[in-house]
Amino acid sequence: MSSEDAWSAAQRTFGGTQQIKEIYRERRGLPMIEAAFKDLQYAFRTVRKSPGSTAIVVISLALGIGANTAIFSLIDAVMLRSLPVRSPDELVSVGDASRPTALWRGGPMANVFSYPLYQRLREENHVFTGFMASGQTGRLDVGAGSGSTEDAHGRLVSGNYFQVLGVSPIVGRTFSPDEDRVPGISPVVVISYDYWMNHFGRDLKIPGSTLRINGSAFTVIGVAPPQFSGEVVGSPADIWIPLSMQALVNPGDSRLDRRDTNWLLCIGRLKPGVSIQRARAEMVTLVQNALIDYESAAGSPDKLREIRSEKVDVESGSRGFSWIRKYDSALLFTLMAMVGLVLLIACANAANLLLARGTSRQREISLRMALGADRARVIRQLLTESALLAAAAGITGVLLAGWGSRVLSQLASGASGPNPIPFEVDVHPNMAVLGFTAMISVLTTILFGLVPALRSTRVDTTPALKESARSVSQGRWHLGRALVVAQLALSAVIVTGGGLFLRSMAHLNSVDVGYSRRKVLVMAADLAGSGYPASQRVSVSRRLIEHLRSLPGVVGVTVSENGIFSRLDSSTDSLQVEGFVPTRKDDSWSSFDQVGPHYFQVLGVPIKAGREFDEQEKVGASTPVVLNETMASFYFGKGDPLGKYLLNGGDRHTVIGVVKDMKERSLKSKTERRFYGPLFQSDDIFRTLNFEVRTLGDAAPMIAAIRREVHSFDPGLKVSRIDPVNVLIDQDIGGDRLIAKLSGFFSILVLLLGAIGLYGVISYTTGVRTNEIGLRMAIGADRGDVMRMVLSETMMLICAGLAIGLPAAMAASRLIASTLAGVSPSDPITLAAVTLVMLAVGLFAGFVPAARASRIDPMAALRQE
């Protein structure tokens, strides 16, 4: 085509000269910056011409980008981000970093430490410039004067805590090592910036102020910097207290002189030139030697060999301690994979819309190339338009991500893990998150913009510029179908995953826990913190049980040391059973609890053999115990366990009964071996006891009456919580509920995106086949025949997507098998439901184009040809 022909075609196409001149300048070389600016100007005008499709593309991509950014924000905060301290890469954690609030009694441990063991490790190591320890405080009732108190989160820390971490106060000072040397003489605290701001209005005169913590007076000496909230990720501290004050913070529960109370984790700062491998080797040796020294008086050769094989966790401490990293990392990465697929589906959807737009712009693109623009120049212009859409989607996605991250962190609060602590992390966008969003926006531009740009520029300019030429591209049509099939296949993967998580959640909701979920509640009472010494706790508990039992609507009341679904437990790994020879190390392991009289009767759990504890339970040379069915079967098979003995350390126990298995710790985990002892005959009553109350009806409405009764019994009795068991179970499976809700939402989203993509392709193909359909109807085809033809084409695409997607979904589901409960990755019910849902959605998406095609006027269609 000559330049004159191209100019005439341009005038007919655009009806003016200004736009023609802008396009014609592409024949001359423009400076790069000016050319980019022109591309951006033209991209703005182009996307403004089709606001409907532009909005669909931006919203689709924004949902995908926003979801990815929200999940990455959580992963960054929990898994990747270093503590805001000096040179965090020099820090090394010693102990199980997933147990920052552990409190275990029963003997020295290798991964949670007693205070004497910490002191020994601090003094004997040669690899750290400083070695600090921290542990849980338990509940803190804090008041600034004689007024009311409120709960606060705190940590008991060694005197060198802030020095080892490299944290300087913004007001006052931090602890000195001397304030941690003598127990009870340093009632001082450091408070967090947020606590200072919220409770003291950033008063610069705060040093010297007094806080009453659990009834004792403490002096505030400093305020931590705003960016530092402690070494436990997800559980920001309000108050730090020296370890030397532990007995004052926890009245009646002194731990500092006890080797059998394990509750501390440690962090050390490496000396210059010392590697983490050398530190690990030394700390393993020191811990094992200490445990051997503690056991040497009564330790058997087998026990000493077992200690030598103990694993001691020594890892990088740059990211602090976090139970969420261990227990919910699989959840986070599963969600990341899911939202990644959502983004791919959104990109496929956007690519299909751009392909359709490219078809309508075929004359414009042909004209550009006829006027002298080379293919690379036009591709650059089209990619600029895609980048503009991706940038708009990225900005919108960041706004959505900020809201979504906060919602996710709130939903995940207390979702899973071993500790009843809130999950609070800083999810505000930082440079890492913004960099991730920018990267994913660039990737999105390439994914949904490049292929349509390449396809749209493969044109024959001469026929494309003819007035009567039709813009039909079989290649473009085949590519659109391929994108829809890929979109449907990915949708099948996500919908299958969502279906499995929903089925798993349904199973957890129907698991038989052995007692009524809704008719039992648990009340945790801090007897020691309320001023009751150990000698009075049994009598107080008995009187409280009688008071609660007198309430109308209460069937029975009992008590236990650990409590149902309280996320506390006791265990032993040195159990010896009469007539049983262990063959593996864990054969000597069992969990246990100490419970009150008629514990199982109150809960409604059947006794399978023997009896349970009563009020007059006698303890002599041997303590009576009750086994659960799993433990009785494991150690005694089909034999009679009644009258047999167990040895736990130096204590002898006699079996008096067998009780039906029940769920007390985790709904998902396998029922474990467990035995029960009589609580009121114990010499060491816990500071906090859990009272189980069974009601006639739903337990939740009884909470207010129980609180009033407790207040009338003792206004000073500290009750940390009163929750129905179904609420505690919901907390236990919070992570499963969260992923079930999110996967259900993402399933609906991808089905919607898939329906839009399928509708677009079917509408486009029926449009370009108007003449063919008119001819078919002219020679005898009726409306039903046309609808069946279009719907059969729709079904072919759906079946192709399912044929690829379902096998891929079954393969991918094996990766999440460990997170499912009561359902297999290849669950036939889920696969059948996914197939039916996708067929229904697909047929719905294809019905409108089919109905429109069946109403074509054959004569009008033939006249167009």
Side-chain angles (χ1 to χ4, degrees), residues 9 26 60 66 155 212 350 371 377 458 463 499 507 542 611 616 638 682 806 833:
E26 293 177 353
S60 299
R155 293 290 284 176
R212 296 199 64 82
L371 291 174
R377 180 70 180 81
R458 288 169 57 181
H507 170 78
R542 288 185 186 275
R611 64 178 181 85
Q616 287 76 40
K638 295 183 179 180
S682 173
L806 291 180

Side-chain angles (χ1 to χ4, degrees), residues 739-795:
I739 198 169
K741 289 180 178 179
L742 290 178
S743 61
F745 169 76
F746 291 140
S747 296
I748 294 173
L749 176 61
V750 300
L751 285 173
L752 177 62
L753 292 175
I756 292 172
L758 188 60
Y759 169 81
V761 166
I762 297 301
S763 295
Y764 169 67
T765 56
T766 53
V768 299
R769 296 173 64 186
T770 299
N771 297 326
E772 174 195 341
I773 294 171
L775 181 60
R776 286 175 179 269
M777 297 183 73
I779 61 177
D782 58 21
R783 296 181 61 184
D785 294 330
V786 173
M787 288 195 69
R788 279 190 293 272
M789 180 187 71
V790 176
L791 289 177
S792 65
E793 190 175 312
T794 305
M795 287 296 297

Side-chain angles (χ1 to χ4, degrees), residues 263-329:
W263 60 294
L264 298 174
L265 296 180
C266 301
I267 290 179
R269 184 172 288 277
L270 290 171
K271 289 182 176 180
V274 175
S275 68
I276 192 172
Q277 292 78 14
R278 178 182 164 188
R280 181 180 296 114
E282 178 167 309
M283 296 311 294
V284 169
T285 301
L286 290 177
V287 171
Q288 291 177 349
N289 288 343
L291 297 184
I292 288 173
D293 288 347
Y294 296 156
E295 288 282 343
S296 59
S300 65
D302 288 342
K303 182 64 177 179
L304 298 182
R305 280 194 296 271
E306 181 181 313
I307 291 174
R308 282 297 182 196
S309 65
E310 286 276 11
K311 180 178 180 293
V312 181
D313 290 331
V314 180
E315 307 294 342
S316 170
S318 62
R319 297 175 297 154
F321 305 135
S322 174
W323 59 266
I324 200 81
R325 271 203 298 268
K326 179 175 181 178
Y327 292 94
D328 277 350
S329 60

Side-chain angles (χ1 to χ4, degrees), residues 326-338:
K326 179 175 181 178
Y327 292 94
D328 277 350
S329 60
L331 165 67
L332 291 175
F333 286 120
T334 298
L335 290 175
M336 194 74 212
M338 190 172 289

Side-chain angles (χ1 to χ4, degrees), residues 180-294:
D180 191 32
R181 297 198 184 279
V182 181
I185 68 167
S186 301
V188 294
V189 298
V190 174
I191 62 176
S192 72
Y193 180 88
D194 286 345
Y195 197 80
W196 177 51
M197 180 177 63
N198 295 331
H199 293 80
F200 299 96
R202 289 187 286 192
D203 182 3
L204 295 177
K205 297 180 181 179
I206 185 66
S209 299
T210 299
L211 290 179
R212 296 199 64 82
I213 302 176
N214 289 353
S216 299
F218 287 79
T219 300
V220 178
I221 62 172
V223 179
Q227 71 273 14
F228 181 75
S229 59
E231 81 288 5
V232 182
V233 177
S235 181
D238 299 317
I239 300 171
W240 292 273
I241 307 170
L243 283 173
S244 60
M245 305 307 300
Q246 182 273 321
L248 200 61
V249 174
N250 309 125
D253 182 26
S254 178
R255 308 171 196 163
L256 297 185
D257 58 350
R258 302 191 60 167
R259 292 178 177 178
D260 63 347
T261 301
N262 309 284
W263 60 294
L264 298 174
L265 296 180
C266 301
I267 290 179
R269 184 172 288 277
L270 290 171
K271 289 182 176 180
V274 175
S275 68
I276 192 172
Q277 292 78 14
R278 178 182 164 188
R280 181 180 296 114
E282 178 167 309
M283 296 311 294
V284 169
T285 301
L286 290 177
V287 171
Q288 291 177 349
N289 288 343
L291 297 184
I292 288 173
D293 288 347
Y294 296 156

